[in-house]
Amino acid sequence: MTEHVVFALVEDFSHLAFANAVEPLRIANMVSGKELYRWSFLSQDGHAARASSGAATLVHGDFAGAGGALDADRLFVVSGNNVRDHVSRSLLALLRRERRRGMKIGAICSGAYVLAAAGMLNGRRAAVHWTLHDTFGEDFPQVELSKSIFVAEDGFATASGGAAAADLMLHFIEATHGEDVAIRVADQMVYTAVRDESARQTVSVQSTFGRRNAKLNAAIRVMRDTLETPIQTPDLAARVGISTRQLERLFGSHLGTSPQSYYRRLRMDRAQRLLLQTDMSVMQVAVSCGYGSTTHFARHYKGAFGVSPSKQRFRMCEARH
């Protein structure tokens, strides 16, 4: 039987993730010689949805006018930038109605944020694009965020975006139509590194820096895990089993900076994401990044980005309006 997949396209959606979700279905039809899948698209206005790239995609209907029931087997939300600004009541109503009917529901890129806003991910694991992890964790602490590229369990599937959308679709194709069809689809896509759910979203510290120094990698992992409660350099060195001087030499020789400067950069990157993606106050952002004083936080933020936190927030609001 042909499986009908509906994609709900949210404004500013990721065109890359969208294409990686749809193309495997088209290719599955081609390599099998059968109509294994068909698909249709929905948007807020029922005419078109605009991707973050500016490209417009024509759709088959709108969220509110989808009717009492979708004639579909699976529904995916595809979103991207500024997802918090595009979670509409009609979209949430569509998701809740279809879930009550037993629809299999999924989300791609930042789409897990929409499912969480609909109350569908409480107590569940979910994958969302790594740049949204800080925002998501603050808004939905009851959801277990996964660092995997996708999660497919309990009737809900979430993929972190980009190539991960293709990995998720290949996972479904293999589960329904067998490994041979999935491999042939991957071959047509020239996709030579198909990943399973255990793959992580971001590359390892070692891959990022092209380094194989285990102590440096371990120190950076500790830093990433303690951004809200940063520790001093001697304690960091003790955590990874070397002296403070050895740790400073490692950062200086491999990264050209000190441990505390690199630590601060990680905290500032987190602060910028929270300022741009959430409604948290400057004080709340400061605390979330390990600062007890907004004055101290603002000084470091301006030094990192050339603008104060409050000015950054003001510019963001101006851009939205």
Side-chain angles (χ1 to χ4, degrees), residues 44-107:
Q44 183 66 39
D45 66 11
H47 298 292
R50 189 170 299 278
S52 55
S53 65
T57 298
L58 298 178
V59 301
H60 303 89
D62 62 64
F63 302 151
L70 284 179
D71 175 24
D73 301 287
R74 195 181 294 272
L75 170 63
F76 280 100
V77 175
V78 186
S79 56
N81 295 340
N82 306 316
V83 62
R84 298 171 84 247
D85 298 333
H86 301 303
V87 181
S88 66
R89 282 184 288 185
S90 58
L91 176 57
L92 295 178
L94 169 66
L95 291 170
R96 289 166 178 155
R97 182 179 69 242
E98 293 305 317
R99 182 55 187 167
R100 286 194 297 269
R101 294 181 52 243
M103 175 77 73
K104 296 175 182 177
I105 292 180

Side-chain angles (χ1 to χ4, degrees), residues 132-200:
L132 202 64
H133 273 212
D134 294 327
T135 303
F136 196 106
E138 294 288 344
D139 289 352
F140 306 109
Q142 64 274 36
V143 180
E144 182 186 346
L145 266 184
S146 172
K147 294 181 179 179
S148 300
I149 56 172
F150 69 83
V151 173
E153 57 184 28
D154 299 329
F156 290 95
T158 49
S160 55
D167 291 299
L168 178 61
M169 292 304 173
L170 289 167
H171 167 81
F172 285 137
I173 291 169
E174 179 178 351
T176 306
H177 301 290
E179 183 180 18
D180 180 62
V181 174
I183 289 174
R184 290 163 66 194
V185 172
D187 285 344
Q188 286 291 323
M189 296 170 64
V190 199
Y191 201 51
T192 57
V194 180
R195 302 167 294 174
D196 61 21
E197 187 177 347
S198 65
R200 293 168 67 89

Side-chain angles (χ1 to χ4, degrees), residues 1-4 29 34-38 73:
M1 294 178 62
T2 300
E3 183 175 347
H4 182 199
N29 291 350
K34 303 174 184 177
E35 190 182 36
L36 302 180
Y37 299 96
R38 65 186 180 94
D73 301 287

Side-chain angles (χ1 to χ4, degrees), residues 266-283:
L266 292 178
R267 293 161 68 195
M268 289 297 99
D269 286 344
R270 171 179 166 84
Q272 186 179 56
R273 288 195 297 271
L274 291 175
L275 282 172
L276 295 177
Q277 298 175 1
T278 76
D279 295 324
M280 293 170 66
S281 68
V282 172
M283 182 63 197

Side-chain angles (χ1 to χ4, degrees), residues 210-226:
R211 307 295 179 191
R212 297 187 178 275
N213 189 292
K215 297 299 185 181
L216 176 64
N217 297 343
I220 293 175
R221 281 195 295 270
V222 172
M223 287 178 172
R224 287 178 172 176
D225 291 339
T226 57

